[in-house]
Amino acid sequence: MQLITCPHCGPRAQAEFEFDRAVESVLALDATEAEAVARLYRRENPKGWSWELWRHSAGCGVFLKLHRHTVTHEIAEVSLLDAAP
Amino acid sequence: MKRYSSLGLLTAGLTGHTSWPRAWRDPTPKTRYDIVIIGGGGHGLATAYNLAKRHGLRNIAVLEKGWIGGGNTGRNTTIVRSNYRLPQMQDLMEFSLKLWETMTDELNYNVMFSQRGAIFLGHSDSDMTKLAERGDAMLARGLDAELLSRDQVAKMIPVLDMSRDARFPIEGGLNQPRGGSARHDAVAWGYARAADALGVDIIQNCGVTGFSIRGGKVEGVETTRGTIGADRVGICVAGHSGQVAGLAGVKLPVESQLLQAFVTEPIKPMIDTVIMSQSVHCYISQSDKGEVVLGGDPDNYPTYSQRGVPMRLEQVAGEAIALIPALSKLRMLRSWAGTTDMSFDGAPILDELPVEGLYLSGGWCYGGFKATPGSGWLFADHLATGEAHPVAKPFALDRFERGATVDEAGAGPKARDR
Amino acid sequence: MTGSRTHQGGIIDRNKTISFTFDGKRYQGHPGDTLASALLAQGVVLFGRSFKYHRPRGVMSAGVEEPNALVGVGTGGRYEPNTRATDLFIYEGLVAESQNRWPSLSFDLGAVIGLFGRFVPAGFYYKAFLGKPGLWKFYEYFIRRAAGLGQPPVEPDPDSYEHRAAFCDVLVVGAGPAGLAAALSASALGERVMLVEQDLVLGGGLIRDADSMEGLPAQAWITKALATLTERGVRILNRTTAIGYWDHDLLTLAQKLVEPGQAPEDGQAAQRLWRVRAKKVVLATGALERPLPFAGNDKPGVMLAQAVRTYVNRFGLTPGAKAVIATCTDDAYKTAFALADAGCEIVAILDSRSESPSEIVKAAVARFKVRFDTQILEAAGGPGGLTGITAEAGGQKLQLSCDLVAASGGFSPVAHLHMQAGGTLSWDEANGAFAPKTSRQNQVTVGAASGVDEANTSASGLTPPKAVDTKHSFVDFQNDVTLADIDLAWQEGYRSVEHVKRYTTLGMATDQGKTSNIVGLARLAALEGRPVPHVGLTTFRPPYTPTTLGLLAGHATGKHLAVIRRPPLFDLHTEQNPLWLPSGYWMRPRAYPRNAETLHAAALREARTVRQGVGWVDVSTLGKFEVAGPDAAAFLERVCATTVAKLAVGRGRYSFMLREDGIVMDDGTVWRIGPERYLLTSSTGGADRMSHHLAYVRQVLAPEMRVAIANVQEHWTGIAVAGPKAKTLLAQLAPDLDIPRHMSVARSQIAGVPVLILAASYSGERAFEIYAAGKDIVPVWQAIATQGTDHGGCAYGLEALEILRIEKGHVVVGGEIDGRTTPHDLGLDRMLNPKATYVGAPALQRPDLQSSAGRLRMVGLESETPIPEGSMLVSSIPGTPQGHVTGAGQRILEDGYVALAFLRDGSERLGEHLVAWSPSRGAKAPVSVVDPVFYDHEGARYRD
């Protein structure tokens, strides 16, 4: 079980978080149909370092951007979302 | 191929079993094949077998980066059933289930397919209505299903907690009598042996590192054992579909997640059917060896690690004990995890990719084992003829851009929600 | 073999006696005895039968690696099958029984299988029982009964199990000399240390070897170390096994608070599961001795050399009177001395090595008969014990009589946790062992587990003598896997280590190959003619030792498997003794039957009351969100697929929300309760998903918006009052209230409680949702009930609500909104916001979602007979389904039955006649396809 350091709450067990999506799948509100298809359905699905959105759902509720390795589960970076992607 | 039989086993026993030949050869890869299948799991081997058996093709190779059957074929809970709600899924899984029924005989290899019934438990009137709807959908389409009352369930599975004040009291169930389980490893080995006998080269320890593509058409694969030419290439690499398709520049509607499962220590017969539940998300069966096999929800985050979180196993244990209290003192013996291709509608992808000659059988989520023979048949059909079989048609890749997804769970495009 | 208690020695408490039974016979032991040691001390030789051939088996080891001596322990709900006698400390009243034998352990009919062993080699079942489908099922019946080990438990487990979390600087796993030293040095630096040991006592190899340490006898040194650790606040857990090493240095520990089968004291748990997050982990897990491959190496009386020494030094017993030591290590010589000092005759020491320069070997040569270059070929004996062995030295055979063989085939460091943590191993060719190499996580391995092996060993124990009878030389003892089985697998092309494992079942028994894996690998490597590391290694997965499912579950099972959410009015409902309906985790009243009414009759009466007078229903569980701020309206137009911005203050409207893929996710109402303040309601079942969705849109998609969202689902408790008399009733309850018109908001007081009133209707009648804060609602409900009853009204439940909404053609999440339907499918497309600013708008443009051809779309059905919910719509029976029924009910005031359904091409087929067919229930109804609103199509009843 991973240990994720929430910028608000400090290091917390993965059980408090939920994975939401890969950052690449975030679909802007003003996207076109083609962008929607590309974002939702054409994925890198990286084996290795990946940018992901997780939410500290059982904590402060904040969405976080993680730079996480999908094989070793190392977490290189956890940050708050600064602006719209 | 030296045929297997009970008599043959007796005869061989008298001579110390020295006469059994290799179940499959260990060939050196040729420089070129008509068709190369990437992935030596059940699906890939079944595809190769069908190409040889049904389409008469002989110049075929299966490339396996490790050992055959070492991926999800050997990491599942071996449940076979076709009790789906949506007609596309019913047709696909029933096509497969019919093939399971003759697989042992066809392959001359005992895959121990045992039709001991697959029962969904219902825990409320609304569960029971949903189960009746599923049963109606199945029966109306010619599948087998029986809606079970509470008493019938209690009689079929005496170890269940039938108390009225259970957290999720059991109100009945839906049985598919022709459902059951099989010996997973034997499926890979049986197909490998039969395909090998038809001339298919099964090449282990041969990882694919790239594709040769010219003018939008595939011409071969780069491997750890050199370049291998091919007219057509089929990808059957559950869990790594996105990785392998990515080598050809194709992005897929797939996310790799992880599904854990475990077995208890072996005991004498306790559970005779496959038990699944609508509200309690675990599934339970007992193997022929006596181990109780338990699985549940996947770990909902992307990973290729084959290493999950402990709470998932703990949750499954709690769910299983809630259904069958006598399981409490049994012990978890062995746990494992498989990397699953979670597609974004929960249904597989059986199609030619946007690279000519490159085909994919993937996105099987956590339900691929039961589809093995059907997938092999249909995918071989597509590879050999260039046309999708009618049963496979709904699983075309462009369904996502068309909006024609096959969403059995109604969960939408986030693999996390499945 | 005749084991007997020595006169002194060991760390058992000889002053106290414990009685227990094994297979119904009464035995005695002492505190500190395992079941194995207590029985061995009383001359018991035969403990169990093997899995496949039912071969008689004794005790091989003195620890968790035991493959042979498995028993069922405990009675009733505390019965635990497959318990290792070597890892079970006896207690007063312990009841144990042997397994996998019939009719008795000494006379087991199953052993007949052993006579046919030649016909059932590895993987025999893949080659046999072929033929017609169904034939296998016949054979399988018998195979299933022959397989398995212990009996399945029958009764529910009376015990409870705890889960606990802990954090520390250093977690030390294993309290042998290396673990104790690590804990001492870490605690000396002021670190928070946890020390866990699977055994009952601490000391590990120190106790087995009875060595001295820093000038003190072993036991004295351990006592001193413990005192120091305790003084420094080190948390020491015995009977605690680290079963799993997970990500980011989280370990799970299984702690036995009582022994298997033993009843804990009242209110106490039987076991405790720890989740420990450590900054650093020290693995001092020791090494396991391996057996030697020779024919009959599984017979009772053949034991591991270290185990024999443990029985002598720790348990004060000699497992035999005449011992042969067979070894490839110096370590086993210590066993010879220990046995001899305890009065046992050492017949010979057979060493497969050519010589050893060490002091202990020299001393042994002086005292015992030592033969180098000598290997055992075969052990002779039966269920009653050993009679002797045949050995081979330089082509010469040698027969020795003995009742005990203490064998040492070398050592395997216990690297399970290291590997679970993602570490790597390196192969030590000289010692024939894998040892930890690199670590991925914050862990180090120390002591014997690190491969630092002071015992001078050789890999020769992995090579059986050439003349050995491979068919009776066991590698995996419990699963009866022999050298010949491995050879056969290899011959047949099952050559990957995983193939061999799976084909032969090597390493898949309850001991998980602790003693067999390396022996099997070495055999495979020899067949391949390649070094062991090239053959590979199977993976290590949790748990290290088998772990009770009840412990894993903890409290989260049975009635506590999931929470039950009770709305604040739960107690008031209970007074009326309603039928309950689980709705997700919520418990909601389904109907309030009177005078033994059926559910159906009660629901129909309640619904009629609503249609004709007034009724009230608890709607507290609906999802409710307050959205406030200058951009609140703009934000809602992102979430809701309908327009919101035009809503006047004090007004509300129906709305629905889409997923990103354009499919309808949920529906509800939006209310403008202030200039920049909105209340959004959504379905009960979708409330958590909606909460997450709102947070996602707010934080990720629209971070620039000036808007705040509060989930007020549990803040606002609500009652819907519905019916033609609802307005009158409300006027009585709140005399000062200017009654809000349909889809308007008002605030007032009822029974002195401030309430928020939303004039919305789900039932199709003029209705008001009255909300108050939490339990403040109680007097409001009481006032409504009192005054409403005077109007002939009644409370109604979800069943009445269901038939009311079906008749009105209102959709429900989980019914018509099933995760596959578009706004168009539901007939809601006219309400879509033309600005298309909402989530889901882009993907909704996909062609197959825009075209209606062939799609399942919502229609109504009418019939004169009940329409089965969930049934299939067919032209005639039998027929291919063209759609299905999502909700069905009786007309409330008129005769006949109605349903909502999804039908291919939907509303284009109005007027068609179909059959609603439920083959699973043997039911059917002829139906006509009609518009899905059956009641008050114009909404006249909403107007005053």
Side-chain angles (χ1 to χ4, degrees):
Chain A
M1 184 169 63
Q2 300 167 108
L3 189 67
I4 300 173
T5 304
C6 172
H8 292 157
C9 313
R12 289 287 193 275
Q14 184 185 342
E16 293 185 11
F17 297 80
E18 52 186 324
F19 166 74
D20 189 78
R21 65 181 65 216
V23 168
E24 63 166 340
S25 76
V26 173
L27 181 62
L29 285 162
D30 56 358
T32 62
E33 180 195 342
E35 283 166 352
V37 168
R39 288 267 178 180
L40 295 179
Y41 298 119
R42 292 187 193 128
R43 293 288 189 79
E44 203 71 47
N45 191 22
K47 184 174 184 176
W49 288 103
S50 178
W51 287 101
E52 297 169 344
L53 286 188
W54 289 65
R55 186 176 180 222
H56 194 190
S57 341
C60 63
V62 76
F63 277 84
L64 298 168
K65 194 153 88 173
L66 264 69
H67 199 210
R68 197 180 67 94
H69 198 283
T70 59
V71 180
T72 65
H73 294 173
E74 283 171 89
I75 297 172
E77 190 185 323
V78 183
S79 58
L80 298 169
L81 304 177
D82 35 16
Chain B
M1 185 171 90
K2 176 170 170 162
R3 287 193 65 78
Y4 292 161
S5 67
S6 299
L7 187 65
L9 188 67
L10 288 177
T11 319
L14 298 173
T15 56
H17 298 280
T18 50
S19 59
W20 295 116
R22 290 195 64 153
W24 56 85
R25 295 162 297 128
D26 183 17
T28 310
K30 293 192 255 180
T31 53
R32 211 200 136 270
Y33 291 91
D34 294 344
I35 298 179
V36 162
I37 304 298
I38 306 172
H43 287 238
L45 293 164
T47 303
Y49 167 77
N50 277 288
L51 283 168
K53 178 79 178 178
R54 295 189 52 254
H55 299 279
L57 298 169
R58 287 294 177 271
N59 192 24
I60 296 161
V62 176
L63 310 183
E64 167 54 49
K65 79 173 169 190
W67 38 283
I68 61 166
N72 291 348
T73 300
R75 297 169 192 275
N76 57 73
T77 48
T78 80
I79 298 170
V80 175
R81 60 189 176 88
S82 65
N83 53 358
Y84 282 76
R85 168 65 188 85
L86 295 185
Q88 301 96 320
M89 293 300 287
Q90 289 173 349
D91 290 354
L92 176 64
M93 295 305 183
E94 179 62 19
F95 186 87
S96 195
L97 179 51
K98 288 209 172 75
L99 293 171
W100 275 107
E101 290 172 325
T102 55
M103 194 193 292
T104 286
D105 205 29
E106 174 163 358
L107 300 180
N108 182 237
Y109 201 103
N110 188 358
V111 299
M112 304 184 195
F113 177 52
S114 174
Q115 294 180 296
R116 46 188 60 260
I119 297 180
F120 268 117
L121 299 175
H123 302 274
S124 62
D125 282 3
S126 52
D127 272 4
M128 289 310 296
T129 304
K130 287 282 175 208
L131 290 178
E133 178 179 328
R134 186 187 289 256
D136 290 345
M138 291 169 65
L139 289 162
R141 244 182 141 71
L143 280 65
D144 63 318
E146 25 177 73
L147 198 61
L148 303 174
S149 68
R150 206 179 117 78
D151 290 345
Q152 285 171 307
V153 169
K155 206 171 153 195
M156 284 179 74
I157 316 169
V159 288
L160 286 174
D161 178 6
M162 296 303 293
S163 58
R164 277 288 180 200
D165 61 347
R167 177 64 188 86
F168 295 102
I170 295 166
E171 300 295 345
L174 181 74
N175 184 26
Q176 182 175 36
R178 288 164 58 247
S181 58
R183 172 85 185 100
H184 54 7
D185 293 326
V187 174
W189 301 339
Y191 272 120
R193 174 167 164 271
D196 177 89
L198 294 168
V200 172
D201 281 357
I202 296 164
I203 302 160
Q204 302 187 78
N205 300 308
C206 181
V208 169
T209 55
F211 291 94
S212 331
I213 297 167
R214 189 184 298 173
K217 186 183 180 317
V218 71
E219 294 193 331
V221 292
E222 314 288 339
T223 78
T224 51
R225 296 173 70 172
T227 302
I228 300 173
D231 293 344
R232 289 177 203 174
V233 177
I235 303 173
C236 296
V237 293
H240 284 76
S241 296
Q243 292 307 298
V244 175
L247 295 174
V250 180
K251 289 187 182 182
L252 297 175
V254 158
E255 197 163 82
S256 294
Q257 296 192 351
L258 174 130
L259 183 67
Q260 302 189 75
F262 63 96
V263 294
T264 68
E265 296 179 335
I267 39 152
K268 296 294 178 191
M270 177 181 191
I271 298 160
D272 203 36
T273 55
V274 175
I275 302 168
M276 296 165 288
S277 161
Q278 287 285 89
S279 305
V280 182
H281 300 279
C282 68
Y283 30 96
I284 309 170
S285 62
Q286 188 174 13
S287 74
D288 285 339
K289 201 182 167 197
E291 298 164 338
V292 179
V293 188
L294 296 140
D297 286 339
D299 285 28
N300 304 62
Y301 58 97
T303 176
Y304 292 85
S305 68
Q306 298 186 341
R307 199 174 60 252
V309 296
M311 291 88 68
R312 189 60 86 207
L313 300 175
E314 292 159 14
Q315 179 190 342
V316 171
E319 291 165 344
I321 295 167
L323 294 175
I324 304 179
L327 289 174
S328 182
K329 286 287 189 200
L330 291 187
R331 304 190 196 98
M332 169 165 80
L333 170 61
R334 191 166 63 242
S335 68
W336 63 91
T339 308
T340 55
D341 271 1
M342 298 301 292
S343 73
F344 294 157
D345 63 355
I349 299 159
L350 283 162
D351 205 352
E352 186 171 4
L353 296 177
V355 173
E356 194 186 336
L358 184 60
Y359 293 73
L360 172 75
S361 167
W364 288 97
C365 298
Y366 39 81
F369 177 72
K370 65 175 90 69
T372 305
S375 159
W377 176 299
L378 297 167
F379 198 45
D381 222 50
H382 205 153
L383 277 161
T385 66
E387 284 291 315
H389 187 284
V391 171
K393 271 219 167 71
F395 304 101
L397 179 61
D398 73 352
R399 70 178 187 270
F400 295 97
E401 58 187 74
R402 284 191 284 119
T405 49
V406 183
D407 197 342
E408 172 90 8
K414 277 164 77 180
R416 189 198 71 121
D417 295 334
R418 303 214 153 264
Chain C
M1 182 170 77
T2 43
S4 59
R5 195 68 89 181
T6 51
H7 294 296
Q8 55 182 32
I11 55 165
I12 47 170
D13 183 356
R14 290 174 190 254
N15 297 321
K16 293 190 185 131
T17 301
I18 290 171
S19 303
F20 63 94
T21 66
F22 178 57
D23 277 344
K25 194 176 163 195
R26 185 159 292 277
Y27 293 90
Q28 267 82 41
H30 300 295
D33 261 329
T34 60
L35 178 64
S37 70
L39 289 175
L40 283 172
Q42 287 169 86
V44 173
V45 173
L46 185 60
F47 279 72
R49 294 276 172 172
S50 66
F51 189 88
K52 185 173 170 188
Y53 300 136
H54 290 247
R55 288 175 66 91
R57 293 287 165 79
V59 173
M60 182 174 114
S61 75
V64 299
E65 69 273 34
E66 177 64 33
N68 290 336
L70 304 183
V71 299
V73 59
T75 55
R78 291 202 169 87
Y79 170 74
E80 276 193 51
N82 306 340
T83 303
R84 295 175 295 268
T86 53
D87 185 29
L88 168 63
F89 292 91
I90 58 167
Y91 50 87
E92 190 63 40
L94 175 137
V95 177
E97 60 178 38
S98 57
Q99 306 186 140
N100 202 31
R101 79 289 184 268
W102 188 85
S104 75
L105 184 58
S106 53
F107 179 70
D108 175 20
L109 279 179
V112 77
I113 296 169
L115 300 177
F116 298 102
R118 63 190 338 192
F119 301 114
V120 287
F124 74 93
Y125 26 71
Y126 301 123
K127 300 191 180 96
F129 319 117
L130 306 166
K132 287 202 170 50
L135 198 61
W136 164 242
K137 204 164 176 204
F138 172 78
Y139 291 114
E140 190 191 29
Y141 176 87
F142 299 99
I143 285 183
R144 281 173 86 89
R145 271 144 191 82
L149 280 169
Q151 291 300 322
V154 180
E155 294 176 35
D157 183 350
D159 289 332
S160 69
Y161 302 86
E162 289 178 1
H163 284 190
R164 233 169 124 169
F167 303 85
C168 63
D169 295 324
V170 181
L171 171 65
V172 181
V173 180
L180 286 169
L184 283 168
S185 56
S187 60
L189 296 170
E191 307 262 43
R192 280 185 310 165
V193 178
M194 273 180 85
L195 174 64
V196 301
E197 167 56 51
Q198 65 190 1
D199 205 335
L200 183 67
V201 297
L202 277 57
L206 287 176
I207 297 172
R208 174 192 66 224
D209 293 345
D211 279 345
S212 59
M213 189 86 164
E214 294 168 347
L216 289 173
Q219 201 49 49
W221 185 85
I222 293 165
T223 307
K224 191 177 154 216
L226 268 178
T228 309
L229 293 172
T230 308
E231 190 184 315
R232 290 177 186 164
V234 172
R235 178 180 258 161
I236 302 168
L237 304 175
N238 69 340
R239 279 317 253 155
T240 303
T241 307
I243 53 171
Y245 198 135
W246 310 83
D247 281 330
H248 300 179
D249 298 298
L250 181 90
L251 284 91
T252 42
L253 317 176
Q255 181 183 20
K256 287 192 181 82
L257 301 170
V258 291
E259 291 298 313
Q262 189 176 16
E265 292 192 18
D266 278 352
Q268 300 299 305
Q271 296 183 45
R272 186 179 289 145
L273 184 75
W274 294 78
R275 287 193 197 105
V276 182
R277 185 80 71 171
K279 287 193 181 137
K280 183 165 190 152
V281 178
V282 178
L283 299 176
T285 44
L288 292 176
E289 196 163 28
R290 300 188 295 245
L292 284 167
F294 57 84
N297 58 350
D298 65 319
K299 292 185 174 181
V302 181
M303 297 173 72
L304 294 170
Q306 281 200 342
V308 170
R309 195 152 84 245
T310 301
Y311 287 113
V312 175
N313 287 339
R314 172 173 173 176
F315 296 106
L317 71 93
T318 50
K322 290 176 69 176
V324 166
I325 315 292
T327 183
C328 64
T329 72
D330 284 357
D331 186 82
Y333 285 77
K334 293 187 200 165
T335 302
F337 285 101
L339 276 173
D341 292 348
C344 185
E345 179 192 343
I346 304 301
V347 179
I349 299 176
L350 311 179
D351 195 327
S352 60
R353 300 171 297 173
S354 296
E355 58 181 318
S356 173
S358 62
E359 289 303 318
I360 190 166
V361 174
K362 281 186 204 153
V365 168
R367 186 168 168 188
F368 309 116
K369 198 174 286 176
V370 180
R371 290 170 171 275
F372 292 105
D373 293 311
T374 306
Q375 286 179 284
I376 297 193
L377 271 180
E378 186 177 2
L386 285 187
T387 52
I389 58 113
T390 307
E392 182 194 48
Q396 298 290 309
K397 286 198 179 166
L398 168 78
Q399 300 217 330
L400 298 170
S401 127
C402 63
D403 66 355
L404 173 67
V405 171
S408 175
F411 296 93
S412 299
V414 176
H416 295 64
L417 295 171
H418 168 83
M419 291 301 280
Q420 287 177 24
T424 60
L425 296 176
S426 61
W427 175 249
D428 173 353
E429 184 68 38
N431 290 319
F434 279 108
K437 194 173 162 192
T438 62
S439 305
R440 182 190 286 161
Q441 303 200 33
N442 262 330
Q443 50 99 353
V444 290
T445 304
V446 300
S450 68
V452 183
D453 199 345
E454 87 236 75
N456 189 8
T457 68
S458 102
S460 60
L462 292 170
T463 312
K466 282 207 171 55
V468 81
D469 170 7
T470 56
K471 288 188 178 62
H472 294 96
S473 300
F474 288 83
V475 180
D476 184 315
F477 289 67
Q478 191 182 119
N479 275 353
D480 287 328
V481 180
T482 63
L483 289 173
D485 288 322
I486 296 172
D487 295 352
L488 178 63
W490 193 83
Q491 171 193 324
E492 294 193 67
Y494 300 90
R495 297 186 174 185
S496 145
V497 59
E498 284 283 354
H499 285 160
V500 173
K501 166 184 154 186
R502 288 153 184 263
Y503 192 67
T504 64
T505 73
L506 169 73
M508 299 185 83
T510 62
D511 57 293
Q512 295 150 304
K514 289 187 175 65
T515 56
S516 63
N517 275 345
I518 301 297
V519 185
L521 266 183
R523 182 67 174 185
L524 200 55
L527 290 164
E528 290 270 355
R530 302 172 72 183
V532 168
H534 289 265
V535 176
L537 194 63
T538 54
T539 42
F540 294 85
R541 297 194 172 280
Y544 172 62
T545 51
T547 305
T548 308
L549 295 196
L551 174 64
L552 295 175
H555 291 299
T557 187
K559 287 196 175 59
H560 303 287
L561 179 61
V563 295
I564 294 178
R565 298 178 77 180
R566 296 181 177 89
L569 289 165
F570 185 87
D571 292 344
L572 277 189
H573 297 314
T574 306
E575 288 171 15
Q576 298 187 66
N577 199 24
L579 294 169
W580 292 97
L581 185 71
S583 171
Y585 291 147
W586 291 100
M587 289 305 267
R588 302 180 65 186
R590 190 174 185 186
Y592 304 86
R594 294 177 181 168
N595 310 324
E597 274 178 323
T598 62
L599 167 68
H600 178 75
L604 195 61
R605 171 183 51 75
E606 290 168 11
R608 282 179 177 151
T609 306
V610 172
R611 285 272 183 265
Q612 293 176 317
V614 64
W616 46 95
V617 61
D618 183 352
V619 294
S620 304
T621 60
L622 285 179
K624 293 173 283 290
F625 304 91
E626 208 167 299
V627 179
D631 294 328
F635 175 78
L636 284 167
E637 289 205 335
R638 303 285 183 270
V639 173
C640 299
T642 64
T643 55
V644 174
K646 284 185 223 153
L647 213 54
V649 175
R651 295 285 288 161
R653 68 160 301 166
Y654 172 78
S655 189
F656 53 91
M657 308 83 183
L658 305 189
R659 288 193 314 231
E660 299 178 282
D661 60 349
I663 299 296
V664 179
M665 174 166 69
D666 211 320
D667 73 342
T669 49
V670 195
W671 303 86
R672 190 165 181 191
I673 54 175
E676 294 182 349
R677 209 171 178 81
Y678 292 81
L679 185 67
L680 174 72
T681 71
S682 66
S683 71
T684 298
D688 292 345
R689 177 180 53 196
M690 185 58 65
S691 177
H692 183 88
H693 183 64
L694 291 170
Y696 174 74
V697 177
R698 167 72 188 84
Q699 294 185 41
V700 182
L701 298 185
E704 75 289 352
M705 283 193 175
R706 291 165 300 163
V707 62
I709 302 157
N711 184 341
V712 290
Q713 180 186 23
E714 296 192 47
H715 173 75
W716 289 119
T717 307
I719 305 162
V721 180
K725 293 183 187 167
K727 191 183 166 196
T728 316
L729 175 59
L730 183 61
Q732 284 177 6
L733 291 164
D736 301 333
L737 174 68
D738 186 9
I739 304 285
R741 63 195 169 97
H742 184 58
M743 299 314 284
S744 294
V745 185
R747 288 181 188 273
S748 185
Q749 286 207 345
I750 294 176
V753 179
V755 292
L756 174 73
I757 302 172
L758 309 177
S761 174
Y762 193 49
S763 58
E765 301 298 334
R766 183 82 158 101
F768 304 92
E769 290 176 5
I770 300 168
Y771 289 98
K775 285 217 169 194
D776 291 359
I777 197 82
V778 170
V780 179
W781 175 276
Q782 286 166 328
I784 292 170
T786 307
Q787 301 201 32
T789 307
D790 294 342
H791 288 281
C794 69
Y796 65 102
L798 288 187
E799 197 71 14
L801 192 63
E802 177 73 1
I803 56 176
L804 287 162
R805 72 99 191 164
I806 289 169
E807 196 176 51
K808 180 65 185 170
H810 281 160
V811 296
V812 69
V813 174
E816 292 72 31
I817 299 178
D818 66 356
R820 293 183 283 267
T821 45
T822 65
H824 192 242
D825 299 335
L826 292 159
L828 299 172
D829 46 317
R830 281 162 292 120
M831 298 168 73
L832 284 169
N833 185 347
K835 282 191 291 176
T837 50
Y838 49 87
V839 171
L844 184 58
Q845 301 309 310
R846 290 179 290 166
D848 283 30
L849 300 185
Q850 288 294 308
S851 142
S852 61
R855 285 194 71 83
L856 293 170
R857 300 182 60 202
M858 195 168 90
V859 294
L861 303 175
E862 280 181 337
S863 179
E864 289 173 8
T865 55
I867 304 169
E869 201 165 289
S871 58
M872 297 295 117
L873 293 174
V874 293
S875 297
S876 58
I877 296 173
T880 306
Q882 303 168 35
H884 59 278
V885 176
T886 51
Q890 189 169 351
R891 278 189 187 273
I892 293 163
L893 298 177
E894 298 162 52
D895 288 340
Y897 297 84
V898 293
L900 299 180
F902 277 77
L903 179 63
R904 199 163 305 288
D905 298 328
S907 54
E908 290 162 34
R909 301 175 63 180
L910 296 186
E912 276 190 37
H913 298 284
L914 297 169
V915 184
W917 181 34
S918 174
S920 76
R921 290 163 287 189
K924 63 183 177 195
V927 296
S928 323
V929 181
V930 297
D931 181 272
V933 182
F934 304 93
Y935 182 76
D936 187 28
H937 205 283
E938 294 73 36
R941 299 184 71 84
Y942 296 153
R943 292 174 214 128
D944 294 325

